[in-house]
Amino acid sequence: MMKTLIPVALICFATVACSETTQVSDDLPESRSDVDNPTGRTERVNSNPDERPVRIGEGGPRFDACQAVGKVADLRSAKLSVRIAPFDSAKEKESLSEGQIVFICTRSHDQQWLGIVYDNSATPDADPRSVDCGVSSPVRSKRNYDGPCKSGWVESTFVKLVAG
């Protein structure tokens, strides 16, 4: 009787220990315009086929949604272009000034572009903890950013790490 209990106990333990999984769909951008996520919110995905939304939660459910804070620095011109996708030819959304605080949420595969979340109303000398874009705490799964602040892609050369 004891011999059958041990394998069953091991199977139960192994099932519980391996219960946290990541689905392939977590890494893929959404293909529909409205996608329900585990938090119960419905994400708004722009219908522009050229736009690549900024993803948050890439570090997993135990880390902040965006794992670093940066500051726009060493600009060659007066402003840093925020683009809709991580490409030089992508449409410009707007621009950021030197000293602007940004949350760094993701990177392009070649590491040349950062997917950022930012609040234009934050002053350059503001404490990053005072800006609440909803990315300073964990999220349950990877998803497109749909919070209260703006998001987009900038060249990584012009963002200096402040925290993270």
Side-chain angles (χ1 to χ4, degrees):
M1 183 168 176
M2 190 65 142
K3 291 179 183 178
T4 59
L5 288 178
I6 293 173
V8 171
L10 286 175
I11 291 170
C12 290
F13 175 75
T15 304
V16 171
C18 299
S19 65
E20 187 174 332
T21 61
T22 303
Q23 297 178 356
V24 173
S25 62
D26 288 345
D27 294 328
L28 300 174
E30 285 73 10
S31 58
R32 300 178 312 178
S33 61
D34 290 326
V35 178
D36 290 330
N37 68 37
T39 61
R41 297 187 313 188
T42 301
E43 295 183 32
R44 297 174 306 279
V45 179
N46 195 331
S47 60
N48 184 345
D50 297 329
E51 186 165 4
R52 181 169 170 198
V54 172
R55 302 279 287 172
I56 62 172
E58 291 190 345
R62 293 186 180 99
F63 296 95
D64 290 347
C66 293
Q67 296 182 26
V69 176
K71 184 183 259 189
V72 175
D74 301 330
L75 295 178
R76 292 184 195 138
S77 62
K79 300 284 185 173
L80 175 62
S81 293
V82 179
R83 303 198 178 272
I84 64 170
F87 311 106
D88 284 326
S89 60
K91 180 181 172 188
E92 183 178 332
K93 284 178 137 178
E94 64 180 314
S95 58
L96 300 176
S97 301
E98 181 103 15
Q100 173 74 46
I101 297 293
V102 298
F103 293 96
I104 302 168
C105 306
T106 189
R107 297 175 184 270
S108 61
H109 290 292
D110 62 7
Q111 306 290 312
Q112 292 182 9
W113 295 89
L114 299 175
I116 62 165
V117 169
Y118 59 98
D119 181 2
N120 275 356
S121 65
T123 60
D125 58 346
D127 182 351
R129 295 170 295 199
S130 68
V131 179
D132 184 17
C133 289
V135 295
S136 298
S137 56
V139 292
R140 292 181 58 181
S141 63
K142 299 173 192 176
R143 62 182 170 86
N144 295 342
Y145 179 71
D146 68 343
C149 296
K150 297 178 179 184
S151 64
W153 295 88
V154 295
E155 290 182 75
S156 61
T157 306
F158 304 110
V159 177
K160 302 300 176 201
L161 191 63
V162 173

